[in-house]
Amino acid sequence: MFDLVIRNVRVEENGPLVDIAVQEGHIVDIGSDIRCEAIETVDGEGTFAFGGFVDTHIHLDKACILDRCTICEGTLAEAVRETARAKAGFEVDDVYARAARVVEKAISHGTTRIRTFVEIDPRAGFRSFDAIKRIREHYAFAVDIEICAFAQEGLTNEPETVDMLDETLRGGADLVGGCPYTDPDPNRHIEMVFALALKHDVPVDFHLDFSLDPGRTDLPAVIEATLRHGWRGRVTIGHVTNLSAMSQAEILSIADRLAEAGIGLSVLPSTDLFLNGRSHERLVPRGVAPAHLLASRGVVTSIATNNVLNPFTPYGDASLIRMANLYANVTQLSRDEDMALVFRMVTEGTASKFGSAGRLEVGAEATIVLLDSPGPGDAVREIARVVAGWKNGNRSFDNGKPRIHRPK
């Protein structure tokens, strides 16, 4: 007697139909026509089963604030300025309600792991952090949430933020993040973030090089600090849009240095497309870092949501399969192996950042999501519909499968 058996699903591209048996929150068998009884039996009807989507970079605290911001320029500077003004008025219940709205969308879109940044500074105080801690607890039945205590607007210019980040890391944050390009002294900013990481023994995640200027970069300083502090495999960078303005040879050289330092990259297509290239009247640059090229050299790369319905990104629904499709389209990928890589960049390819492989195998945690698709490649090409999901063997959401009702 098993707790759950999901029958007639595929676990590889166009693979054979198999059954997945679950007991006490773990997968105990995967095979054809498993003969057993179960408390719950589900017919997967040929769907593709996998471990769920992984969102490595999202800002839940400042989501859904379009009604309190103005977008005139559509630039990064304006987005930072408008959000700073708005967050001074954030309250715990307000942040919680907006974050819950996005998290519930993410769950229904099959996301099972999230890393969210939470801005900590004198304007936001600890209100957003308190709200997101509640979100992490209340939605643990469906999604694992990591909290990154984040300095959006600098450290050297606002040293009180350092003490606030320190308190947040003592109070339950999982890692620390910085934004060197908003600080008057980027190199010192990087060192201050690493000092906090070393003190609390946590990973680091930087917003980095958000421009189209290859000559303006803080990446060498981050690579050097990572190696000097022995933080290999514990550092992630997001955006790095200036990579899109470099030659392939330059990109591959940087990829080798990132791989050596064990630094991962999160690409954020929706935001990067919206904010970059505003000064170009024609042939507007895309501004999306070519993560697939870096992945070819061993860099752990991911595609993530970033912002939802705010001045950084005035649209979005926290759907990672939609973001994967957007990335593949923008970077003009078409081969089957490219589609498989893009799917890995929103699933098991980045799950290791959360301490698990994210694969469906005997002995693994029974966190399972079903896609209305025969496999990852078709899922990316078609933005496959998410059908249902389980966390630790317990059903966490159910969207059902579409049905066509023909006239009688």
Side-chain angles (χ1 to χ4, degrees):
M1 173 68 73
F2 292 125
D3 295 332
L4 167 70
V5 175
I6 304 173
R7 298 193 181 278
N8 302 316
V9 294
R10 292 181 171 86
V11 293
E12 59 186 58
E13 187 82 49
N14 294 309
L17 293 177
V18 298
D19 304 334
I20 302 173
V22 174
Q23 184 71 23
E24 296 182 352
H26 288 80
I27 297 172
V28 294
D29 197 4
I30 300 176
S32 300
D33 193 24
I34 296 175
R35 297 182 179 274
C36 66
E37 294 184 3
I39 296 172
E40 180 184 12
T41 301
V42 175
D43 185 355
E45 300 182 59
T47 54
F48 176 71
F50 69 112
F53 293 112
V54 181
D55 204 328
T56 61
H57 187 128
I58 193 170
H59 293 261
L60 294 175
D61 58 333
K62 57 189 182 187
C64 308
I65 57 170
L66 282 178
D67 59 337
R68 59 192 86 175
C69 296
T70 301
I71 302 177
C72 296
E73 304 163 9
T75 62
L76 174 62
E78 180 188 56
V80 171
R81 185 174 65 247
E82 283 292 305
T83 303
R85 181 178 60 81
K87 73 181 174 185
F90 288 179
E91 297 296 340
V92 174
D93 289 345
D94 161 54
V95 175
Y96 182 95
R98 290 184 287 101
R101 173 182 169 187
V102 176
V103 167
E104 290 185 9
K105 284 182 179 291
I107 292 169
S108 71
H109 289 310
T111 297
T112 56
R113 298 171 181 83
I114 290 173
R115 173 178 290 180
T116 182
F117 293 81
V118 177
E119 295 186 18
I120 307 294
D121 57 38
R123 286 158 299 287
F126 299 104
R127 300 184 301 278
S128 295
F129 178 56
D130 290 342
I132 300 303
K133 281 198 296 184
R134 285 171 50 195
I135 289 286
R136 179 174 63 183
E137 177 186 356
H138 293 173
Y139 287 94
F141 72 93
V143 60
D144 295 326
I145 298 178
E146 279 190 349
I147 298 176
C148 180
F150 177 55
Q152 169 73 75
E153 297 168 53
L155 289 173
T156 65
N157 55 324
E158 211 164 50
E160 57 264 48
T161 299
V162 179
D163 292 334
M164 296 179 71
L165 289 170
D166 188 44
E167 183 175 343
T168 306
L169 289 164
R170 290 196 305 270
D174 301 290
L175 66 160
V176 62
C179 192
Y181 58 76
T182 63
D183 197 297
D185 188 345
N187 288 344
R188 179 65 183 145
H189 180 106
I190 291 166
E191 283 305 312
M192 293 168 80
V193 171
F194 268 103
L196 287 165
L198 269 66
K199 177 180 179 179
H200 294 277
D201 192 22
V202 296
V204 173
D205 202 325
F206 286 107
H207 290 45
L208 209 65
D209 293 359
F210 200 168
S211 76
L212 298 178
D213 182 359
R216 180 185 175 189
T217 176
D218 298 309
L219 181 55
V222 170
I223 293 174
E224 189 277 332
T226 300
L227 294 172
R228 174 163 42 88
H229 292 300
W231 236 238
R232 190 181 191 282
R234 304 187 74 186
V235 177
T236 305
I237 54 178
H239 295 294
V240 201
T241 57
N242 63 357
L243 288 172
S244 68
M246 298 183 190
S247 69
Q248 183 166 323
E250 291 174 304
I251 293 167
L252 294 179
S253 175
I254 290 171
D256 290 341
R257 292 164 60 201
L258 289 173
E260 178 189 1
I263 297 175
L265 170 67
S266 295
V267 175
L268 313 163
S270 191
T271 300
D272 297 346
L273 284 165
F274 179 73
L275 292 178
N276 278 297
R278 290 283 174 170
S279 62
H280 294 250
E281 292 185 358
R282 58 191 180 89
L283 297 177
V284 179
R286 296 181 176 97
V288 176
H292 57 288
L293 294 181
L294 278 74
S296 72
R297 305 298 272 236
V299 179
V300 176
T301 57
S302 61
I303 301 164
T305 298
N306 195 36
N307 281 288
V308 177
L309 301 175
N310 68 18
F312 293 87
T313 319
Y315 26 69
D317 62 353
S319 167
L320 283 175
I321 192 62
R322 183 177 68 83
M323 204 59 63
N325 174 275
L326 175 63
Y327 176 85
N329 199 332
V330 167
T331 54
Q332 300 175 319
L333 300 179
S334 60
R335 301 178 304 170
D336 290 344
E337 52 265 42
D338 293 330
M339 297 301 106
L341 171 61
V342 169
F343 190 82
R344 287 197 299 275
M345 286 197 281
V346 290
T347 56
E348 67 182 57
T350 57
S352 58
K353 292 181 182 179
F354 293 77
S356 65
R359 293 188 295 272
L360 299 188
E361 56 190 11
V362 173
E365 175 186 292
T367 293
I368 303 165
V369 172
L370 304 184
L371 278 178
D372 193 5
S373 171
D378 286 335
V380 172
R381 295 182 194 279
E382 300 178 4
I383 312 181
R385 189 170 183 271
V386 181
V387 178
W390 292 259
K391 181 78 163 63
N392 297 322
N394 299 308
R395 191 186 292 259
S396 52
F397 72 93
D398 192 343
N399 297 325
K401 287 195 67 177
R403 296 286 188 265
I404 303 299
H405 295 275
R406 297 185 180 279
K408 295 181 180 178

